[in-house]
Amino acid sequence: TQFLQINFFGRKVDPLRELKIPYPEFGTVTSADEAIDLSKKIGFPLLVRPSYVLGGESMKIVINEDELEKQVVKILSIMPDNIILLDHFLAGAIEAEADAISDGKDVYIIGIMEHIEPAGIHSGDSYAVLPPFDLSEKVIKQIEDHTKTIALALNTVGLINIQFADKNRVVYII
């Protein structure tokens, strides 16, 4: 996808796609017209949220163009010139997160937490439990593998936290 491309030593790359780690389609917009255009590429439902906001303030799940336009206009009326993030929303997914530590060579999973609320509630506004109570061994293994792959790809030395969504036993990074 064109939305997750970063400039890596002069080359545009999509690191998650190269690592074969699934993620919901997403993009950024600065107007309602851009949001409508992007929604046609990503598809509804969409998670709409302002960039650089702590907690779930002004975050909303929308299911059609009318709701999308109203939410974008609302965000921009409160925070003019803000970038707005649109993510394809994985309805019915279970949210989880992994905490790990790495020395750049080895990655150790400290814990995997499962959120009580369904995906779509901002992690800062939700409850999580450790250890996970309802994740299958297959899902836990995917979370561990994705966490290790990402930490090593980023040359992480120190702590890392990654949020995931389990949708039909496929683990997406969110």
Side-chain angles (χ1 to χ4, degrees), residues 13-133:
V13 297
D14 179 341
L16 293 176
R17 192 170 309 276
E18 287 183 9
L19 295 170
K20 296 182 175 37
I21 297 174
Y23 56 88
E25 296 293 325
F26 71 94
T28 60
V29 297
T30 57
S31 71
D33 289 337
E34 288 178 8
I36 299 297
D37 289 344
L38 183 58
S39 73
K40 292 174 182 168
K41 295 174 187 167
I42 296 176
F44 290 98
L46 291 171
L47 182 65
V48 181
R49 56 200 163 121
S51 182
Y52 309 112
V53 173
L54 296 176
E57 184 179 337
S58 297
M59 187 170 87
K60 184 173 183 180
I61 299 163
V62 301
I63 60 169
N64 58 45
E65 288 183 7
D66 185 51
E67 286 185 6
L68 174 59
E69 182 177 12
K70 287 177 183 172
Q71 183 63 12
V72 169
V73 168
K74 177 183 172 188
I75 292 170
L76 292 175
S77 72
I78 297 167
M79 296 171 259
D81 301 321
N82 199 346
I83 294 171
I84 298 170
L85 309 171
L86 302 182
D87 298 273
H88 180 77
F89 179 65
L90 300 171
I94 298 168
E95 190 166 343
E97 55 189 283
D99 285 335
I101 190 165
S102 175
D103 62 5
K105 295 180 185 136
D106 295 305
V107 179
Y108 300 95
I109 306 293
I110 298 167
I112 295 174
M113 295 167 276
E114 182 175 352
H115 289 224
I116 302 295
E117 299 85 1
I121 304 298
H122 190 278
S123 61
D125 297 328
S126 64
Y127 292 96
V129 296
L130 178 74
F133 61 93

